[in-house]
Amino acid sequence: TPRADSQCLACGKHALDLESQRKLLLHLAKRSILDKLHLSQRPTLSRPVSRAALRTVLQRLHGPPQRVLPEADRGQEYEIISFAETGLSNINHTRLDFHFFSDRTAGGMEILQASLMFFVQLPPNTTWTLKVRVFVLGPRDASLTLATQRLLEVDASGWHQLLLGSEAQAACSQGHLTLELVPEGQVSQSSVILSGAARRPFMTARVRVGGKHRVRRH
Amino acid sequence: GIDCQGGSRMCCRQEFFVDFREIGWHDWIIQPEGYTMNFCTGQCPVHVAGMPGIAASFHTAVLNLLKANTAAGTTGGGSCCVPTARRPLSLLYYDRDSNIVKTDIPDMVVEACGCS
């Protein structure tokens, strides 16, 4: 930007000493990254993720390339991997809580696609039916309300993927989603949904910030 | 565009790398290990103004020499050394809830500079 005296800052006439210039550039770099990520300050990690979980997740995510939108239609897009909190689970059901960063949701977050990945351990040659319940926070209080549920047939041990519908996407947009996975019928000696470090359930989401309020230009 | 070398005072691209470990951000940014920011610096005499990438062709060079010969002064005049090409920065990082986020931040890395 030209200055009032028609000199521009980049012309080198108002050069700072090297150390001051370096400090200024570092400050600009930090500020620029935080602003573009819609963060007011650098995140402080409250729940560190184990290396095993991180490695597993990144290995699982070599899916087909996603459709690329034309530049004009794109807000800034994010792909988010959210690890589930499983604190309120027991043998009969696995409860998965997901939290999303409030700084980003404040700017208006549109979930384009979300899917759940979970690891199931079954006895050989068996098929289980899992009921997947989606809970959302009530409109007035913090109580959970059942939004939808669906049945899923699982016939092999290993990682499974479930594409989540609009109710779950809406809950993610509001910053919190709770899922319950309930095995139907047969009683098990231990939980069929595993949640150890390398098999921790997680959700992947494709997100656009500020997309809802964008005006399309013709 | 021209990369800054030695004592050149003309508009050029200066390389600048921010090491995330050095600024204590390596705990929340998984990849990359740093940010190649770069910036534009240097003077834009009148005869190179309006020429992103400095010398676009023989004809523009001749026209700009004519402009320079008729203009008063050799610096300033509202022309600035600015980025003419930029590319996105891809980041993989932890957010406050320990979610892993991947995004491409547009226009973060200065690839070339020129006079506005």
Side-chain angles (χ1 to χ4, degrees), chain A residues 1-2 6-8 10-11 13 21-22 25-26 29-30 32-34 36-37 39 42-49 54 58 76-83 99-104, chain B residues 16 18 20 22-25 27-28 30 35 37 39-44 75-81 89 91-108:
Chain A
T1 306
S6 80
Q7 293 289 325
C8 50
C11 290
K13 283 208 162 184
Q21 187 184 52
R22 192 179 139 70
L25 287 167
L26 285 177
K30 287 180 183 178
S32 175
I33 291 173
L34 292 176
K36 295 279 180 67
L37 296 179
L39 300 172
R42 55 146 295 169
T44 306
L45 303 183
S46 53
R47 292 187 290 265
V49 176
L54 178 60
L58 296 178
Q76 190 174 335
E77 286 192 13
Y78 297 81
E79 291 166 55
I80 299 177
I81 299 163
S82 183
F83 290 96
H99 301 273
F100 295 93
F101 194 20
S102 54
D103 274 17
R104 216 169 16 240
Chain B
F16 186 74
V18 180
F20 290 143
E22 198 180 321
I23 60 172
W25 278 17
D27 58 338
W28 71 280
I30 303 166
Y35 165 32
M37 181 167 100
F39 62 94
C40 300
T41 185
Q43 293 174 356
C44 282
T75 58
S79 174
C80 269
C81 181
L89 170 69
L91 278 185
L92 188 67
Y93 66 94
Y94 291 111
D95 70 11
R96 199 176 59 189
D97 296 305
S98 299
N99 298 322
I100 296 170
V101 182
K102 189 256 172 188
T103 191
D104 295 324
I105 313 178
D107 299 333
M108 289 290 281

Side-chain angles (χ1 to χ4, degrees), chain B residues 46-47 63-73:
Chain B
V46 173
H47 67 282
L63 285 173
N64 282 289
L65 275 173
L66 285 172
K67 250 196 299 184
N69 287 333
T70 53

Side-chain angles (χ1 to χ4, degrees), chain A residues 166-205:
Chain A
S166 55
E167 295 86 357
Q169 291 185 10
C172 296
S173 300
Q174 288 163 13
H176 182 252
L177 170 68
T178 298
L179 300 174
E180 260 186 17
L181 304 185
V182 186
E184 291 258 288
Q186 301 168 58
V187 178
S188 173
Q189 298 297 315
S190 60
S191 176
V192 294
I193 314 292
L194 299 189
S195 58
R199 289 170 176 173
R200 195 168 159 187
F202 63 93
M203 201 177 82
T204 63

Side-chain angles (χ1 to χ4, degrees), chain B residues 6-74:
Chain B
S8 169
R9 297 176 66 194
M10 289 287 285
C11 177
C12 58
R13 182 186 73 152
Q14 179 69 55
E15 289 187 354
F16 186 74
F17 180 75
V18 180
D19 187 332
F20 290 143
R21 181 169 290 276
E22 198 180 321
I23 60 172
W25 278 17
H26 62 291
D27 58 338
W28 71 280
I29 297 182
I30 303 166
Q31 281 291 334
E33 290 175 358
Y35 165 32
T36 309
M37 181 167 100
N38 304 336
F39 62 94
C40 300
T41 185
Q43 293 174 356
C44 282
V46 173
H47 67 282
V48 291
M51 293 178 65
I54 311 283
S57 73
F58 169 74
H59 299 96
T60 45
V62 171
L63 285 173
N64 282 289
L65 275 173
L66 285 172
K67 250 196 299 184
N69 287 333
T70 53
T74 55

Side-chain angles (χ1 to χ4, degrees), chain A:
Chain A
T1 306
R3 291 151 49 103
D5 58 4
S6 80
Q7 293 289 325
C8 50
L9 289 171
C11 290
K13 283 208 162 184
H14 308 274
L16 301 164
D17 65 84
L18 279 179
E19 189 49 37
S20 304
Q21 187 184 52
R22 192 179 139 70
K23 276 185 186 165
L24 175 69
L25 287 167
L26 285 177
H27 174 75
L28 285 173
K30 287 180 183 178
R31 196 66 266 156
S32 175
I33 291 173
L34 292 176
D35 285 349
K36 295 279 180 67
L37 296 179
H38 306 275
L39 300 172
S40 51
Q41 58 186 347
R42 55 146 295 169
T44 306
L45 303 183
S46 53
R47 292 187 290 265
V49 176
S50 73
R51 287 225 163 247
L54 178 60
R55 189 169 54 241
T56 306
V57 162
L58 296 178
Q59 281 169 352
R60 297 297 313 165
L61 289 181
H62 289 294
Q66 282 153 345
R67 191 172 68 92
V68 177
L69 291 171
E71 195 66 38
D73 292 344
R74 284 165 64 180
Q76 190 174 335
E77 286 192 13
Y78 297 81
E79 291 166 55
I80 299 177
I81 299 163
S82 183
F83 290 96
E85 296 293 311
T86 54
L88 294 171
S89 301
N90 58 38
I91 289 177
N92 299 320
H93 76 269
T94 302
R95 181 168 160 166
L96 309 175
D97 281 301
F98 298 95
H99 301 273
F100 295 93
F101 194 20
S102 54
D103 274 17
R104 216 169 16 240
T105 54
M109 189 170 86
E110 182 186 5
I111 307 285
L112 304 173
Q113 191 181 60
S115 54
L116 172 70
M117 304 276 281
F118 57 97
F119 194 94
V120 174
Q121 182 77 64
L122 293 181
N125 303 317
T126 54
T127 299
W128 285 63
T129 302
L130 280 175
K131 186 185 283 179
V132 181
R133 293 171 166 167
V134 177
F135 291 90
V136 298
L137 285 175
R140 289 185 202 87
D141 51 24
S143 64
L144 290 173
T145 310
L146 179 65
T148 184
Q149 60 182 8
R150 59 193 274 196
L151 296 176
L152 186 69
E153 281 223 330
V154 177
D155 59 4
S157 294
W159 283 98
H160 292 264
Q161 182 172 18
L162 174 67
L163 203 61
L164 297 173
S166 55
E167 295 86 357
Q169 291 185 10
C172 296
S173 300
Q174 288 163 13
H176 182 252
L177 170 68
T178 298
L179 300 174
E180 260 186 17
L181 304 185
V182 186
E184 291 258 288
Q186 301 168 58
V187 178
S188 173
Q189 298 297 315
S190 60
S191 176
V192 294
I193 314 292
L194 299 189
S195 58
R199 289 170 176 173
R200 195 168 159 187
F202 63 93
M203 201 177 82
T204 63
R206 210 153 55 84
V207 171
R208 183 163 52 198
V209 169
K212 279 181 182 169
H213 306 297
R214 284 168 67 86
V215 177
R216 198 188 171 100
R217 187 171 55 185
H218 294 273

